[in-house]
């Protein structure tokens, strides 16, 4: 039982005991290649996770890089991959993992995976163990999200399938939508969805990308910023549980 | 930094982070021998309300919560004596002592237990690093305890698995 800060701070300050995790985890944000909103979310989430103490590497596509600030931003490593299918992306994720493994901080590799790329095989094993979808609350989008979740589980049966609600105006609306989504998912498949909160005031995410500053720096008090931080916090909590 | 000075620097970082909370918590005692074990920090807010601050290692937060409740219970009846010894502190002894549990992350069971206890008495704060030996505290917003008239079942939020630290 901790009696001193020293018992705790080493988890954050880069001198944690090595060997807690075999290698960096990877998180696949399932989104279409031209989804600018997903790019804005990924960029802000990556920065927030880095702000919370993770070493984050983002395997980007050419489409991502066209939207992202050309200059490096503190706390985030970006590795451009020209991959056009899952096996190429899996190689890039492995490369990013190897780079992060040299870091002393706990590491997470982030990649955007187009749902059309999902297929069984070794690449799915490497890239789809932990997935995240951005799900609007309407029925059509929920059904689409469930279909993608089923494809993920067909390719990687033990995958953790996460969902973040967006295009909602309140926590209550997000909760209702997730409740419906989880129920519909249970009715249509054996998939169990993991909740990763919600996003609010999404225009702020676009603005941060245009301003080339993560929300936490651009608008630290905004609801959108708190929502991104909460999503990152939930991701980090599961990351930590997996490492234990 | 010499190894022996590191705990002091880390404790100082936490004291600074406590002062940046709203309302700020000013440290009035540290490393105090409480019931059986030691209390990391004891603070007061501008109204004199006293808070016991305990730091928990990752994975030890649930046990540390129980220890914190014991420590604040131990401290509460002693506050009147402290006021006699140090009247300038003007401690609100009649309010008893609150608990702030600080940890890198919290078990769902800890959150649920604190929700059941009510937020006035016990709060949770995540410890977030800010560069070398600087930290920030993020006080968690938890659901209030259920109304007594409600059946003691989990809320729809728990049943559905929806998770969020945000509140409307």
């Amino acid at each position: 039982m901790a009696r001193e800060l020293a018992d705790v701070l080493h988890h954050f300050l880069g001198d944690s005991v090595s060997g807690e995790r075999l290698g960096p985890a990877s998180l696949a944000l399932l989104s279409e290649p031209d989804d600018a909103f997903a790019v804005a979310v990924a960029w802000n989430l990556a920065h927030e996770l880095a702000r919370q103490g993770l070493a984050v590497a983002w395997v980007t596509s050419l489409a991502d890089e066209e939207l992202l600030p050309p200059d490096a931003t503190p706390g985030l490593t970006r590795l451009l991959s020209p991959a056009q299918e899952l096996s190429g992306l899996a190689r890039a994720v492995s490369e990013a993992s190897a780079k992060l493994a040299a870091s002393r901080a706990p590491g997470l590799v982030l990649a955007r995976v187009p749902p059309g790329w999902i297929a069984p095989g070794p690449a799915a094993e490497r890239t789809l163990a932990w997935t995240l979808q951005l799900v609007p609350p309407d029925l059509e989008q929920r059904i689409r999200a469930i279909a993608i979740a089923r494809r993920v589980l067909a390719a990687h049966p033990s995958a953790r399938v996460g969902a973040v609600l967006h295009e909602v105006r309140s926590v209550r609306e997000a909760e209702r939508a997730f409740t419906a989504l989880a129920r519909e998912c249970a009715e249509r498949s054996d998939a169990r969805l993991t909740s990763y909160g919600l996003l609010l005031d999404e225009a702020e995410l676009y603005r941060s990308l245009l301003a080339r500053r993560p929300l936490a720096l651009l608008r630290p008090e905004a609801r959108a910023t708190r929502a991104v931080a909460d999503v990152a916090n939930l991701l980090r909590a599961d990351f930590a549980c997996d490492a234990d | 930094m010499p190894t022996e000075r590191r705990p002091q620097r880390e404790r100082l970082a936490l004291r600074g982070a406590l002062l940046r909370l709203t309302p700020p918590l000013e440290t009035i005692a540290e490393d105090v021998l409480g019931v059986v074990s030691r209390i990391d920090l004891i603070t007061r807010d501008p109204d004199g309300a006293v808070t016991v601050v305990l730091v928990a290692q990752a994975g030890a937060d649930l046990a540390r919560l129980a220890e914190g409740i014991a420590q604040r219970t131990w401290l509460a009846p002693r506050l009147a004596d402290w006021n006699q010894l140090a009247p300038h502190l003007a401690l609100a002894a009649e309010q008893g002592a609150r608990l702030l549990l600080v940890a890198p992350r919290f078990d769902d069971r800890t959150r649920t237990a604190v929700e059941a206890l009510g937020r006035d008495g016990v709060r949770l704060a995540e410890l977030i690093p800010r560069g070398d030996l600087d930290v920030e505290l993020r006080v968690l917003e938890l659901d209030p305890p259920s109304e007594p008239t409600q059946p003691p079942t989990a809320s729809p939020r728990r049943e559905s698995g929806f998770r969020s630290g945000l509140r409307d």
Side-chain angles (χ1 to χ4, degrees):
Chain A
M1 189 170 293
R3 300 232 176 107
E4 300 289 349
L5 275 173
D7 295 333
V8 179
L9 288 190
H10 66 274
H11 287 285
F12 304 98
L13 299 178
D15 55 354
S16 58
V17 178
S18 61
E20 283 183 347
R21 177 189 286 279
L22 292 176
S26 65
L27 175 67
L29 180 59
L30 305 175
S31 47
E32 298 297 341
D34 59 352
D35 186 343
F37 177 65
V39 175
V41 171
W43 189 63
N44 276 285
L45 261 185
H47 276 289
E48 183 59 30
L49 287 164
R51 205 173 71 93
Q52 294 188 14
L54 293 186
V56 181
W58 180 6
V59 176
T60 58
S61 66
L62 286 168
D64 295 336
E65 290 293 341
E66 284 176 2
L67 294 170
L68 292 170
D71 300 329
T73 43
L76 176 61
T77 303
R78 284 174 11 209
L79 294 95
L80 173 63
S81 164
Q84 294 295 318
E85 31 64 53
L86 199 60
S87 58
L89 185 66
R91 285 192 293 275
V93 167
S94 295
E95 183 184 339
S97 294
K99 288 183 187 297
L100 279 188
S103 164
R104 298 180 67 198
L108 179 70
V109 178
L110 176 65
R112 287 206 308 124
V113 177
W117 291 11
I118 298 171
E125 288 290 319
R126 182 70 192 86
T127 55
L128 300 178
W130 190 9
T131 67
L132 193 63
Q133 289 190 66
L134 308 175
V135 186
D138 57 283
L139 177 62
E140 184 181 349
Q141 293 298 324
R142 295 201 307 262
I143 290 173
R144 180 176 180 274
I146 292 167
I148 293 172
R150 293 179 67 177
R151 290 187 65 184
V152 169
L153 290 168
H156 191 309
S158 62
R160 178 191 285 141
V161 183
V164 177
L165 270 294
H166 75 112
E167 296 181 12
V168 291
R169 286 159 295 182
S170 67
V171 178
R172 185 176 297 273
E173 184 183 355
E175 181 178 350
R176 278 199 300 267
F178 184 84
T179 301
L181 178 66
R183 184 185 65 245
E184 291 152 1
C185 194
E187 290 169 355
R188 288 170 168 80
S189 72
D190 294 331
R192 185 177 182 279
L193 294 178
T194 300
S195 167
Y196 287 102
L198 68 152
L199 297 169
L200 291 165
D201 299 343
E202 291 157 25
E204 298 285 358
L205 287 156
Y206 290 110
R207 287 193 193 106
S208 78
L209 198 55
L210 290 172
R212 300 180 175 183
R213 294 190 75 196
L215 266 178
L217 301 176
L218 186 68
R219 296 286 311 277
E221 302 302 323
R223 284 204 317 168
T225 309
R226 292 201 301 274
V228 168
D230 186 60
V231 173
N233 193 46
L234 292 167
L235 290 168
R236 189 170 58 92
D238 284 354
F239 172 93
C241 284
D242 292 346
D244 287 341
Chain B
M1 182 192 314
T3 307
E4 65 273 15
R5 287 176 51 193
R6 193 176 177 106
Q8 288 89 336
R9 286 288 303 273
E10 291 162 347
R11 204 188 296 275
L12 192 63
L14 179 58
R15 290 175 61 159
L18 288 166
L19 283 171
R20 293 193 292 272
L21 292 178
T22 306
L25 298 183
E26 175 194 6
T27 298
I28 56 174
E30 62 180 65
D31 200 25
V32 176
L33 180 60
V35 53
V36 180
S37 57
R38 305 190 81 84
I39 299 170
D40 291 316
L41 297 172
I42 297 174
T43 67
R44 71 183 290 282
D45 73 11
D47 295 329
V50 174
T51 299
V52 165
V53 179
L54 288 191
V55 179
Q57 197 170 15
D61 50 302
L62 188 56
R64 198 73 163 144
L65 173 64
E67 185 184 358
I69 292 168
Q71 298 294 11
R72 74 166 185 157
T73 305
W74 171 87
L75 179 62
R78 289 165 172 78
L79 292 177
D81 295 338
W82 285 27
N83 265 337
Q84 289 190 34
L85 292 167
H88 65 280
L89 291 177
L91 303 178
E94 71 286 355
Q95 294 183 23
R98 301 170 182 173
L99 171 65
L100 178 66
L101 185 62
V102 175
R105 53 186 176 271
F106 290 98
D107 191 300
D108 281 346
R109 292 170 295 179
T110 306
R111 294 170 184 255
T112 304
V114 171
E115 286 172 2
L117 288 166
R119 284 173 293 151
D120 286 343
V122 182
R123 291 192 299 167
L124 304 178
E126 287 186 335
L127 194 61
I128 299 168
R130 287 284 177 275
D132 188 29
L133 289 181
D134 191 13
V135 296
E136 180 179 311
L137 293 175
R138 179 167 175 252
V139 177
L140 301 187
E141 293 289 337
L142 300 174
D143 285 340
S146 301
E147 294 294 328
T149 54
Q150 291 178 341
T153 55
S155 67
R157 175 176 175 161
R158 301 283 177 199
E159 287 169 5
S160 68
F162 178 74
R163 299 189 295 175
S164 175
L166 303 182
R167 295 164 61 87
D168 285 328

